[in-house]
Amino acid sequence: MKGKEMQSKLLNVGFGNVVIASRVVAIITANSAPIKRLKDLARDDKRLIDATQGRRTRSIIVTDSNHVVLSAIQAETIAQRLEGKEEAKKE
């Protein structure tokens, strides 16, 4: 019997980077002071994953393992991908 992980849906967060969709707790826009503090705390605790490939951070994804993933893709676009409404990639 194959593990459940092999059947998990992957969520494209930009530039070939993916997150396991079932692990996503929140997708947040990255432009408020509390969110910047969240990012700084995650960096200090070594829970920050930068998937922006050097581009501007447009959204932040929080996982159930308390990791924080930075993405250069708009939060709305990632949410649509999570819902399965894959639209043209805007990277």
Side-chain angles (χ1 to χ4, degrees):
M1 178 179 218
K2 294 191 179 201
K4 194 170 193 171
E5 298 160 18
M6 298 298 287
Q7 299 172 359
S8 295
K9 180 181 173 190
L10 299 176
L11 175 63
N12 181 348
V13 295
F15 309 106
N17 299 300
V18 294
V19 174
I20 298 173
S22 63
R23 309 277 319 248
V24 173
V25 174
I27 303 169
I28 311 164
T29 56
N31 54 4
S32 69
I35 300 307
K36 290 177 183 173
R37 278 194 299 274
L38 173 72
K39 182 173 76 170
D40 292 340
L41 286 171
R43 179 178 289 122
D44 294 344
D45 293 343
K46 303 204 184 314
R47 295 181 289 107
L48 184 70
I49 301 168
D50 187 351
T52 62
Q53 301 293 316
R55 291 169 178 82
R56 186 176 137 223
T57 301
R58 294 178 185 237
S59 63
I60 295 178
I61 300 158
V62 180
T63 66
D64 62 354
S65 63
N66 214 20
H67 283 82
V68 176
V69 181
L70 307 181
S71 175
I73 307 297
Q74 293 286 345
E76 294 171 4
T77 303
I78 295 175
Q80 288 175 347
R81 290 176 182 181
L82 186 60
E83 291 176 351
K85 300 176 184 173
E86 185 76 25
E87 65 179 14
K89 293 181 182 178
K90 297 177 184 175
E91 296 181 10

